[in-house]
Amino acid sequence: MSKSPASTTQQYRPETRLVHSGTLRSQYGETSEALFLTQGYVYNSAEECEARFKGEDPGFIYSRYSNPTISMFERRMIELEGAEAARSAATGMAAVTTAILAPLKAGDHVVASRALFGSCLYVIQDLLPRYGIETTLVDGADLDQWQRALKPNTKTFFLESPTNPTLDVLDIPSIAEIAHGGGARLVVDNVFATPIWQSPLALGADVVVYSATKHIDGQGRCLGGIILSSEAFIAEHIHNFMRQTGPSISPFNAWVLLKGLETLGVRVRAQTETAARIADVLASHPKISRLVYPGRADHPQAALVKKQMRGGSTLVGFEVKGGKQGAFRVLNELKLAKISNNLGDAKSLVTHPATTTHQRLKPEDRAALGISEGFIRFSAGLEHADDLIEDLTAALEKA
Ligand SMILES: Cc1ncc(COP(=O)(O)O)c(C=O)c1O
């Protein structure tokens, strides 16, 4: 078995690619992809070993660099996303940090949307400036701000869409055009959209990153991340950085994620349908003061959702009347949906962003992003929608 001849299934639709792409079958002809839980590889001769290190033989060398199970996961993601190449990482944050940091040097400049997951914001606001990389945060929905932030040394634009947790949708094609006009690349964190509902590379982005921990696993087991892009970007900026610094994914986690991909489409569709039903019920609930759901006509960027996404979201954002106390009461009254800071799981999960994922922000910065004390992020799972609606309405009633 060598690492290059992965099956090519690009002629098929995404559902088919999710099941078959990238499979490397061993001599045993296994149906389910094998888990190669090995650190290293043995060589038939010293000459073969030398050739492999010289890059003249395409086989595997060491699992910090690559591994058959990890290659299968990467290849399946490449074919799903329509990318040329990919490198997986130990976590979503390892993927985000590598995609942003690896191509940069002191003196470069990064522009990012202010509405970011807390750890992504740490990378932009705290980490990069420590190494002499300038950063500017903008209101991602305001295209003029992206344009005005461009400088001769701007190398990277970074955004999430929909944003975590307020589910704003940013205009990927227009932001990509502004980046390219200034000689910069656009990196998109596509975690909230999932590869099922949005394809940033096809919309003009240069790099897409995922926390595979979320929908790609989808059953709360493993951490993982992946960077997808052109062959040139991965070869020039990512490959050697990851090889030498080592934020590699474990083959076991890659195997779980690879198997998770087989059901990704089915799960995301079912979870989206449930989330849309929940959003419709909560929209007219007297104890809710604000509801955000990409896919509803009252979403602030409804036209943009239609233009760049193929579906809504597995997440619903809503603000409970009564601030933090009101939100906490609802969380504590829920029987089925679990309090957790994760998302994209088979189990419905509820988060209070102001005291968890975004607690590091100053109250005024949270307020500017629309993360009020009463705001709750609901990640719809695979339970029956009626059970979840009954759970939510009963909790709101009691709160
Ligand atoms: C939008 C977004 N990006 C990145 C991450 C980081 O992923 P991980 O927890 O796998 O490091 C998260 C995790 O919550 C996230 O929500």
Side-chain angles (χ1 to χ4, degrees):
M1 188 197 263
S2 103
K3 73 181 174 187
S4 47
S7 64
T8 299
T9 49
Q10 265 151 341
Q11 71 272 32
Y12 297 118
R13 293 167 184 80
E15 290 79 0
T16 310
R17 281 185 242 149
L18 280 166
V19 178
H20 290 287
S21 292
T23 300
L24 289 167
R25 235 166 229 120
S26 79
Q27 70 271 33
Y28 300 114
E30 63 280 352
T31 309
S32 174
E33 295 74 2
L35 166 53
F36 290 91
L37 205 52
T38 181
Q39 298 167 342
Y41 307 86
V42 293
Y43 310 98
N44 291 315
S45 65
E47 286 76 14
E48 185 186 67
C49 181
E50 182 188 27
R52 221 162 277 178
F53 271 78
K54 277 183 168 168
E56 291 164 0
D57 178 316
F60 296 93
I61 297 175
Y62 190 53
S63 288
R64 171 151 46 80
Y65 306 171
S66 59
N67 165 286
T69 308
I70 296 173
S71 285
M72 286 193 258
F73 170 57
E74 289 170 349
R75 173 52 57 183
R76 196 163 287 178
M77 284 298 299
I78 286 168
E79 293 194 20
L80 174 65
E81 199 69 41
E84 287 176 8
R87 274 304 300 255
S88 46
T91 65
M93 281 321 301
V96 168
T97 307
T98 302
I100 295 175
L101 187 63
L104 301 181
K105 59 181 187 329
D108 287 343
H109 176 232
V110 174
V111 184
S113 158
R114 194 171 283 115
L116 293 178
F117 168 56
S119 300
C120 297
L121 201 57
Y122 163 80
V123 170
I124 301 289
Q125 252 188 328
D126 296 32
L127 188 71
L128 297 183
R130 291 209 329 243
Y131 298 96
I133 297 162
E134 276 184 90
T135 62
T136 305
L137 291 173
V138 297
D139 170 356
D142 183 346
L143 296 178
D144 281 348
Q145 287 196 26
W146 289 100
Q147 186 69 60
R148 283 202 307 272
L150 258 181
K151 299 184 190 190
N153 57 339
T154 307
K155 294 285 167 22
T156 301
F157 276 15
F158 177 64
L159 63 86
E160 286 170 25
S161 183
T163 60
N164 179 7
T166 48
L167 307 176
D168 288 318
V169 175
L170 307 189
D171 186 340
I172 294 175
S174 300
I175 297 167
E177 205 180 308
I178 296 169
H180 297 158
R185 70 181 70 87
L186 173 62
V187 180
V188 173
D189 181 334
N190 205 38
V191 163
F192 272 50
T194 82
I196 302 300
W197 295 144
Q198 184 168 270
S199 303
L201 298 178
L203 292 168
D206 304 279
V207 182
V208 57
V209 286
Y210 287 101
S211 163
T213 313
K214 310 297 186 265
H215 303 84
I216 292 174
D217 176 340
Q219 291 172 75
R221 300 160 294 192
C222 288
L223 297 162
I226 191 159
I227 305 166
L228 298 118
S229 183
S230 63
E231 194 86 55
F233 180 81
I234 298 287
E236 194 181 331
H237 299 297
I238 305 299
H239 187 66
N240 204 34
F241 182 96
M242 297 225 31
R243 255 175 97 129
Q244 315 303 352
T245 62
S248 319
I249 194 169
S250 106
F252 179 81
N253 287 6
W255 180 79
V256 172
L257 300 171
L258 175 69
K259 300 307 286 177
L261 282 175
E262 294 182 351
T263 56
L264 180 71
V266 179
R267 287 185 283 107
V268 167
R269 278 193 178 77
Q271 288 166 280
T272 302
E273 243 175 66
T274 298
R277 279 199 55 201
I278 290 171
D280 288 344
V281 170
L282 296 185
S284 55
H285 197 285
K287 291 203 177 159
I288 303 282
S289 47
R290 179 163 66 105
L291 176 117
V292 208
Y293 184 69
R296 270 178 64 87
D298 58 5
H299 185 276
Q301 297 91 31
L304 196 52
V305 173
K306 269 209 178 120
K307 211 168 86 186
Q308 73 180 31
M309 296 181 72
R310 293 181 288 274
S313 176
T314 65
L315 293 123
V316 185
F318 58 93
E319 187 177 72
V320 178
K321 289 179 184 168
K324 178 180 167 185
Q325 248 189 351
F328 270 29
R329 270 195 236 118
V330 173
L331 258 55
N332 291 334
E333 287 296 344
L334 286 166
K335 300 273 180 287
L336 202 48
K338 304 297 175 210
I339 302 169
S340 172
N341 44 294
N342 208 2
L343 62 101
D345 201 278
K347 294 179 173 64
S348 288
L349 303 176
V350 266
T351 310
H352 184 246
T355 54
T356 58
T357 52
H358 292 72
Q359 55 90 17
R360 222 175 54 83
L361 270 65
K362 292 190 203 108
E364 59 271 25
D365 292 341
R366 275 200 299 271
L369 292 173
I371 309 170
S372 64
E373 295 292 308
F375 192 83
I376 290 176
R377 186 186 78 190
F378 188 96
S379 169
L382 289 171
E383 302 92 341
H384 197 289
D386 292 343
D387 288 331
L388 293 172
I389 289 166
E390 282 163 24
D391 192 32
L392 270 165
T393 47
L396 282 163
E397 239 25 82
K398 283 193 206 137

mmCIF file of all heavy atoms in Angstrom, residues 90-94 96 116-117 119-120 158 160 162 164 189 191-192 210-214 223-225 341-343 357 377, ligand 1:
data_model
loop_
_atom_site.group_PDB
_atom_site.id
_atom_site.type_symbol
_atom_site.label_atom_id
_atom_site.label_comp_id
_atom_site.label_asym_id
_atom_site.label_seq_id
_atom_site.Cartn_x
_atom_site.Cartn_y
_atom_site.Cartn_z
ATOM 1 N N ALA A 90 -4.143 18.071 15.139
ATOM 2 C CA ALA A 90 -4.636 17.449 16.378
ATOM 3 C C ALA A 90 -5.978 18.013 16.842
ATOM 4 O O ALA A 90 -6.784 17.298 17.432
ATOM 5 C CB ALA A 90 -3.602 17.623 17.478
ATOM 6 N N THR A 91 -6.197 19.292 16.593
ATOM 7 C CA THR A 91 -7.444 19.955 17.008
ATOM 8 C C THR A 91 -7.807 21.012 15.972
ATOM 9 O O THR A 91 -6.982 21.367 15.120
ATOM 10 C CB THR A 91 -7.264 20.687 18.368
ATOM 11 O OG1 THR A 91 -6.313 21.752 18.170
ATOM 12 C CG2 THR A 91 -6.782 19.774 19.476
ATOM 13 N N GLY A 92 -9.012 21.549 16.110
ATOM 14 C CA GLY A 92 -9.404 22.659 15.244
ATOM 15 C C GLY A 92 -8.485 23.854 15.466
ATOM 16 O O GLY A 92 -8.079 24.515 14.512
ATOM 17 N N MET A 93 -8.112 24.100 16.721
ATOM 18 C CA MET A 93 -7.249 25.257 16.999
ATOM 19 C C MET A 93 -5.844 25.064 16.440
ATOM 20 O O MET A 93 -5.206 26.030 16.024
ATOM 21 C CB MET A 93 -7.197 25.553 18.510
ATOM 22 C CG MET A 93 -8.417 26.301 19.027
ATOM 23 S SD MET A 93 -9.069 27.599 17.936
ATOM 24 C CE MET A 93 -7.675 28.695 17.759
ATOM 25 N N ALA A 94 -5.355 23.807 16.416
ATOM 26 C CA ALA A 94 -4.041 23.555 15.791
ATOM 27 C C ALA A 94 -4.128 23.884 14.300
ATOM 28 O O ALA A 94 -3.196 24.445 13.725
ATOM 29 C CB ALA A 94 -3.626 22.106 15.995
ATOM 30 N N VAL A 96 -6.330 26.055 12.851
ATOM 31 C CA VAL A 96 -6.492 27.516 12.689
ATOM 32 C C VAL A 96 -5.146 28.210 12.902
ATOM 33 O O VAL A 96 -4.716 29.039 12.088
ATOM 34 C CB VAL A 96 -7.540 28.061 13.708
ATOM 35 C CG1 VAL A 96 -7.518 29.585 13.754
ATOM 36 C CG2 VAL A 96 -8.941 27.564 13.368
ATOM 37 N N LEU A 116 -15.351 36.280 16.396
ATOM 38 C CA LEU A 116 -14.621 35.014 16.287
ATOM 39 C C LEU A 116 -14.805 34.200 17.555
ATOM 40 O O LEU A 116 -15.013 34.760 18.641
ATOM 41 C CB LEU A 116 -13.119 35.276 16.125
ATOM 42 C CG LEU A 116 -12.618 35.936 14.850
ATOM 43 C CD1 LEU A 116 -11.102 36.129 14.944
ATOM 44 C CD2 LEU A 116 -12.943 35.093 13.621
ATOM 45 N N PHE A 117 -14.647 32.883 17.424
ATOM 46 C CA PHE A 117 -14.565 31.991 18.579
ATOM 47 C C PHE A 117 -13.419 32.500 19.475
ATOM 48 O O PHE A 117 -12.390 32.950 18.971
ATOM 49 C CB PHE A 117 -14.295 30.572 18.064
ATOM 50 C CG PHE A 117 -13.919 29.592 19.108
ATOM 51 C CD1 PHE A 117 -14.740 29.380 20.206
ATOM 52 C CD2 PHE A 117 -12.741 28.853 19.016
ATOM 53 C CE1 PHE A 117 -14.396 28.456 21.186
ATOM 54 C CE2 PHE A 117 -12.396 27.930 19.977
ATOM 55 C CZ PHE A 117 -13.226 27.738 21.073
ATOM 56 N N SER A 119 -10.899 31.367 21.205
ATOM 57 C CA SER A 119 -9.501 30.945 21.010
ATOM 58 C C SER A 119 -8.931 31.509 19.703
ATOM 59 O O SER A 119 -7.744 31.834 19.630
ATOM 60 C CB SER A 119 -9.394 29.415 21.003
ATOM 61 O OG SER A 119 -9.850 28.908 22.222
ATOM 62 N N CYS A 120 -9.788 31.635 18.673
ATOM 63 C CA CYS A 120 -9.331 32.243 17.405
ATOM 64 C C CYS A 120 -8.978 33.710 17.658
ATOM 65 O O CYS A 120 -7.986 34.228 17.133
ATOM 66 C CB CYS A 120 -10.403 32.135 16.330
ATOM 67 S SG CYS A 120 -10.819 30.443 15.888
ATOM 68 N N PHE A 158 -8.952 36.766 7.777
ATOM 69 C CA PHE A 158 -9.487 35.577 8.449
ATOM 70 C C PHE A 158 -10.906 35.852 8.940
ATOM 71 O O PHE A 158 -11.171 36.907 9.518
ATOM 72 C CB PHE A 158 -8.586 35.198 9.636
ATOM 73 C CG PHE A 158 -9.099 34.023 10.427
ATOM 74 C CD1 PHE A 158 -9.206 32.768 9.844
ATOM 75 C CD2 PHE A 158 -9.492 34.165 11.755
ATOM 76 C CE1 PHE A 158 -9.682 31.675 10.564
ATOM 77 C CE2 PHE A 158 -9.968 33.077 12.488
ATOM 78 C CZ PHE A 158 -10.066 31.831 11.889
ATOM 79 N N GLU A 160 -14.905 33.763 10.240
ATOM 80 C CA GLU A 160 -15.822 32.630 10.424
ATOM 81 C C GLU A 160 -17.161 33.050 9.845
ATOM 82 O O GLU A 160 -17.574 34.189 10.033
ATOM 83 C CB GLU A 160 -16.115 32.412 11.914
ATOM 84 C CG GLU A 160 -15.052 31.809 12.754
ATOM 85 C CD GLU A 160 -15.411 31.894 14.242
ATOM 86 O OE1 GLU A 160 -16.614 31.976 14.584
ATOM 87 O OE2 GLU A 160 -14.487 31.905 15.038
ATOM 88 N N PRO A 162 -21.177 31.022 9.207
ATOM 89 C CA PRO A 162 -21.748 31.909 10.198
ATOM 90 C C PRO A 162 -20.834 32.024 11.432
ATOM 91 O O PRO A 162 -20.080 31.111 11.736
ATOM 92 C CB PRO A 162 -23.061 31.233 10.578
ATOM 93 C CG PRO A 162 -23.402 30.349 9.426
ATOM 94 C CD PRO A 162 -22.101 29.917 8.855
ATOM 95 N N ASN A 164 -19.598 32.506 15.375
ATOM 96 C CA ASN A 164 -19.841 31.860 16.660
ATOM 97 C C ASN A 164 -19.912 32.935 17.745
ATOM 98 O O ASN A 164 -18.924 33.629 17.945
ATOM 99 C CB ASN A 164 -18.661 30.896 16.936
ATOM 100 C CG ASN A 164 -18.769 30.177 18.257
ATOM 101 O OD1 ASN A 164 -19.755 30.260 18.952
ATOM 102 N ND2 ASN A 164 -17.707 29.476 18.625
ATOM 103 N N ASP A 189 -12.841 29.913 8.435
ATOM 104 C CA ASP A 189 -13.187 28.861 9.401
ATOM 105 C C ASP A 189 -14.643 28.495 9.111
ATOM 106 O O ASP A 189 -15.560 29.282 9.362
ATOM 107 C CB ASP A 189 -13.002 29.423 10.817
ATOM 108 C CG ASP A 189 -13.318 28.403 11.905
ATOM 109 O OD1 ASP A 189 -14.111 27.477 11.654
ATOM 110 O OD2 ASP A 189 -12.791 28.555 13.022
ATOM 111 N N VAL A 191 -16.510 26.001 10.286
ATOM 112 C CA VAL A 191 -17.060 25.057 11.274
ATOM 113 C C VAL A 191 -18.580 25.148 11.395
ATOM 114 O O VAL A 191 -19.279 24.143 11.385
ATOM 115 C CB VAL A 191 -16.401 25.297 12.652
ATOM 116 C CG1 VAL A 191 -17.196 24.658 13.769
ATOM 117 C CG2 VAL A 191 -15.007 24.712 12.656
ATOM 118 N N PHE A 192 -19.092 26.370 11.490
ATOM 119 C CA PHE A 192 -20.532 26.510 11.715
ATOM 120 C C PHE A 192 -21.347 26.142 10.473
ATOM 121 O O PHE A 192 -22.461 25.655 10.591
ATOM 122 C CB PHE A 192 -20.870 27.933 12.195
ATOM 123 C CG PHE A 192 -20.790 28.062 13.684
ATOM 124 C CD1 PHE A 192 -19.675 27.622 14.376
ATOM 125 C CD2 PHE A 192 -21.841 28.595 14.420
ATOM 126 C CE1 PHE A 192 -19.591 27.696 15.755
ATOM 127 C CE2 PHE A 192 -21.774 28.685 15.810
ATOM 128 C CZ PHE A 192 -20.646 28.239 16.474
ATOM 129 N N TYR A 210 -11.223 23.579 9.471
ATOM 130 C CA TYR A 210 -12.309 22.994 10.266
ATOM 131 C C TYR A 210 -11.794 22.550 11.607
ATOM 132 O O TYR A 210 -10.684 22.006 11.701
ATOM 133 C CB TYR A 210 -12.877 21.739 9.586
ATOM 134 C CG TYR A 210 -13.719 22.032 8.376
ATOM 135 C CD1 TYR A 210 -13.188 21.880 7.113
ATOM 136 C CD2 TYR A 210 -15.032 22.463 8.521
ATOM 137 C CE1 TYR A 210 -13.950 22.156 5.993
ATOM 138 C CE2 TYR A 210 -15.804 22.740 7.404
ATOM 139 C CZ TYR A 210 -15.262 22.591 6.148
ATOM 140 O OH TYR A 210 -16.017 22.864 5.051
ATOM 141 N N SER A 211 -12.649 22.691 12.617
ATOM 142 C CA SER A 211 -12.541 21.883 13.815
ATOM 143 C C SER A 211 -13.371 20.642 13.475
ATOM 144 O O SER A 211 -14.595 20.701 13.438
ATOM 145 C CB SER A 211 -13.132 22.613 15.018
ATOM 146 O OG SER A 211 -13.370 21.662 16.037
ATOM 147 N N ALA A 212 -12.685 19.512 13.235
ATOM 148 C CA ALA A 212 -13.398 18.266 12.921
ATOM 149 C C ALA A 212 -14.037 17.682 14.172
ATOM 150 O O ALA A 212 -14.838 16.750 14.104
ATOM 151 C CB ALA A 212 -12.426 17.271 12.292
ATOM 152 N N THR A 213 -13.661 18.261 15.314
ATOM 153 C CA THR A 213 -14.245 17.922 16.610
ATOM 154 C C THR A 213 -15.765 18.093 16.601
ATOM 155 O O THR A 213 -16.472 17.427 17.355
ATOM 156 C CB THR A 213 -13.663 18.905 17.663
ATOM 157 O OG1 THR A 213 -12.252 18.995 17.490
ATOM 158 C CG2 THR A 213 -13.995 18.505 19.073
ATOM 159 N N LYS A 214 -16.242 19.018 15.764
ATOM 160 C CA LYS A 214 -17.662 19.378 15.780
ATOM 161 C C LYS A 214 -18.460 18.399 14.899
ATOM 162 O O LYS A 214 -18.456 17.224 15.164
ATOM 163 C CB LYS A 214 -17.815 20.837 15.334
ATOM 164 C CG LYS A 214 -16.888 21.806 16.087
ATOM 165 C CD LYS A 214 -17.198 21.846 17.561
ATOM 166 C CE LYS A 214 -16.439 22.877 18.336
ATOM 167 N NZ LYS A 214 -15.211 22.467 18.991
ATOM 168 N N LEU A 223 -11.048 14.884 19.196
ATOM 169 C CA LEU A 223 -10.666 16.203 18.707
ATOM 170 C C LEU A 223 -9.938 16.025 17.370
ATOM 171 O O LEU A 223 -9.278 15.010 17.149
ATOM 172 C CB LEU A 223 -9.728 16.880 19.701
ATOM 173 C CG LEU A 223 -10.302 17.180 21.090
ATOM 174 C CD1 LEU A 223 -9.178 17.425 22.073
ATOM 175 C CD2 LEU A 223 -11.228 18.382 21.054
ATOM 176 N N GLY A 224 -10.032 17.031 16.537
ATOM 177 C CA GLY A 224 -9.299 16.983 15.269
ATOM 178 C C GLY A 224 -9.529 18.257 14.487
ATOM 179 O O GLY A 224 -10.463 19.015 14.767
ATOM 180 N N GLY A 225 -8.637 18.499 13.524
ATOM 181 C CA GLY A 225 -8.784 19.686 12.681
ATOM 182 C C GLY A 225 -8.193 19.419 11.317
ATOM 183 O O GLY A 225 -7.474 18.427 11.127
ATOM 184 N N ASN A 341 -20.120 23.325 26.165
ATOM 185 C CA ASN A 341 -19.604 24.370 25.277
ATOM 186 C C ASN A 341 -19.296 23.818 23.894
ATOM 187 O O ASN A 341 -18.762 24.521 23.055
ATOM 188 C CB ASN A 341 -18.359 25.019 25.880
ATOM 189 C CG ASN A 341 -17.420 23.987 26.454
ATOM 190 O OD1 ASN A 341 -17.776 23.322 27.438
ATOM 191 N ND2 ASN A 341 -16.275 23.819 25.857
ATOM 192 N N ASN A 342 -19.634 22.559 23.643
ATOM 193 C CA ASN A 342 -19.358 21.971 22.334
ATOM 194 C C ASN A 342 -20.565 22.177 21.407
ATOM 195 O O ASN A 342 -21.597 22.733 21.823
ATOM 196 C CB ASN A 342 -19.048 20.487 22.499
ATOM 197 C CG ASN A 342 -18.134 19.970 21.398
ATOM 198 O OD1 ASN A 342 -17.683 20.708 20.525
ATOM 199 N ND2 ASN A 342 -17.877 18.681 21.423
ATOM 200 N N LEU A 343 -20.462 21.705 20.167
ATOM 201 C CA LEU A 343 -21.560 21.855 19.203
ATOM 202 C C LEU A 343 -21.415 20.812 18.110
ATOM 203 O O LEU A 343 -20.383 20.162 17.990
ATOM 204 C CB LEU A 343 -21.541 23.265 18.601
ATOM 205 C CG LEU A 343 -20.306 23.685 17.800
ATOM 206 C CD1 LEU A 343 -20.545 23.594 16.306
ATOM 207 C CD2 LEU A 343 -19.908 25.095 18.143
ATOM 208 N N THR A 357 -17.545 30.303 26.209
ATOM 209 C CA THR A 357 -16.687 30.491 25.027
ATOM 210 C C THR A 357 -16.215 31.936 24.831
ATOM 211 O O THR A 357 -15.168 32.164 24.239
ATOM 212 C CB THR A 357 -17.441 30.059 23.752
ATOM 213 O OG1 THR A 357 -18.706 30.736 23.729
ATOM 214 C CG2 THR A 357 -17.680 28.563 23.722
ATOM 215 N N ARG A 377 -26.801 29.706 22.865
ATOM 216 C CA ARG A 377 -26.546 29.022 21.590
ATOM 217 C C ARG A 377 -27.045 27.589 21.729
ATOM 218 O O ARG A 377 -26.641 26.878 22.649
ATOM 219 C CB ARG A 377 -25.044 29.034 21.322
ATOM 220 C CG ARG A 377 -24.639 28.502 19.976
ATOM 221 C CD ARG A 377 -23.143 28.420 19.861
ATOM 222 N NE ARG A 377 -22.606 27.263 20.563
ATOM 223 C CZ ARG A 377 -21.302 27.034 20.792
ATOM 224 N NH1 ARG A 377 -20.415 27.918 20.408
ATOM 225 N NH2 ARG A 377 -20.901 25.957 21.422
HETATM 226 C C1 LIG B 1 -15.581 28.313 15.041
HETATM 227 C C2 LIG B 1 -14.597 27.432 15.759
HETATM 228 N N1 LIG B 1 -13.342 27.328 15.289
HETATM 229 C C3 LIG B 1 -12.429 26.556 15.909
HETATM 230 C C4 LIG B 1 -12.740 25.857 17.060
HETATM 231 C C5 LIG B 1 -11.673 25.044 17.730
HETATM 232 O O1 LIG B 1 -11.831 23.679 17.598
HETATM 233 P P1 LIG B 1 -11.150 22.586 18.567
HETATM 234 O O2 LIG B 1 -11.929 22.610 19.836
HETATM 235 O O3 LIG B 1 -11.274 21.310 17.801
HETATM 236 O O4 LIG B 1 -9.740 22.991 18.781
HETATM 237 C C6 LIG B 1 -14.034 25.921 17.566
HETATM 238 C C7 LIG B 1 -14.367 25.165 18.798
HETATM 239 O O5 LIG B 1 -15.337 25.418 19.475
HETATM 240 C C8 LIG B 1 -14.989 26.734 16.907
HETATM 241 O O6 LIG B 1 -16.252 26.834 17.361
#
